[in-house]
Amino acid sequence: MTVREIKAGVHAVGTQDWDRRLFDELIPLPEGTSYNSFLVSGSEKTALIDGVDPTKEDELIANLRELGVENLDFLVSNHAEQDHSGAIPKILGLYPNCIVVTNAKCVAALKDLHDIADDRFMEIADGETLSLGDKTLQFILAPWVHWPETMFTYVQEDKILFTCDFLGAHLAASNLFVTDAAPARIAAKRYYAEIMMPFRNQVKKHLEKLAGLKIEIVAPSHGPLHDNPTAILDAYADWAGDDVKNEAVIAYVSMHGSTRRMVDYLIDALIKKGVTVKPFNLTQTDLGELAMGLVDAATLIIACPTVLAGPHPAAAYAAILVNALKPKTRFTAIVGSYGWGGRTVEQLTAMTGNLKAEPLDPVLVKGRPQGNDFDRLDQLAAKIAAKHGVEVSSPD
Ligand code: FEO
């Protein structure tokens, strides 16, 4: 990544990962990602804000050399996860006077993950400041976005807020700042859904904490920077807020077409009732898209056949993932076909125990759906529309 000046004495020195397509061996990265790192040069001291993924540490070091950095006083670690801390040991070896500045929980996490001597740390508390001369770093503890040790760093004179993962996006881009708001918002929403959604209540608290801060630039550690901070802060307030939309997500898998026929019928029935439907075929969908669909949806329907007396494993995987993501879904339903019996409803219900959602009557059919089965799907659609407060009724 090219070194670029953000403001006088503040440079972006991180790296792009154009080719990466999977994070945590779980999260799809259709547009790659970046590991942002920032050099803040005061009149007396210099600080690096966050490192990069260990696979990119040589690029970070090359960027520091390009800027002629011969002495680094501080490395501020906002988050201990390896994609931001992996380069720290090499940086500390390269700059023997450099001290890692972070909070107590992050010190402990960094020691767990890396071999860093005790005397290379400076522990700071919430609200504490560190002078670099004509620039002052202020540390704002922001736990659980998305690890317990996360924090933000604010440059008081430049009004730049470094947020690490918070407000970020997995997006490799040649532009330093957001230039096209719509795709940037989608990438940020995907990131929120995959990483931040389980910590929605903490997100709300951190947004409140930031409300009194004058912010000109939001600089996360993934994706483009925001010189219109209101856009991303308002988007987060919307996503983390308690309101849900008149949307039903259907996560489905079908083996021989019976569940698929039920899903197709239910989609039409919901549309007729005025409910927006977002179907995801679990054998094909990008799970990030499913996660994004769950950010706003009032209802989640899992549709699957019964296999060996339980839910199809693709549906079980999705249920476990949804349970971990804890969307603000208000209503859930289970739909599907079975051959001779099983405990699909009980098992899927147990797998989604984290959801604070009202379960609606399941619709399970033996074999292919027929006759009264479609009436039951109509009743489910009507119930969902009523729960969503939709007043539009179908012509029939
Ligand atoms: Fe980008 Fe939680 O690490």
Side-chain angles (χ1 to χ4, degrees), residues 23 79 81 83-84 146-147 165 191 222:
F23 198 87
H79 177 27
E81 193 169 5
D83 53 322
H84 310 290
H146 59 123
W147 279 17
D165 286 345
Y191 190 87
H222 296 290

Side-chain angles (χ1 to χ4, degrees), residues 23-24 33-35 79-84 145-147 149-150 164-165 170 191 195-196 221-222:
F23 198 87
D24 290 346
T33 191
S34 65
Y35 316 108
H79 177 27
E81 193 169 5
Q82 291 91 326
D83 53 322
H84 310 290
V145 283
H146 59 123
W147 279 17
E149 85 304 352
T150 45
C164 204
D165 286 345
H170 280 312
Y191 190 87
I195 309 288
M196 299 294 162
S221 290
H222 296 290

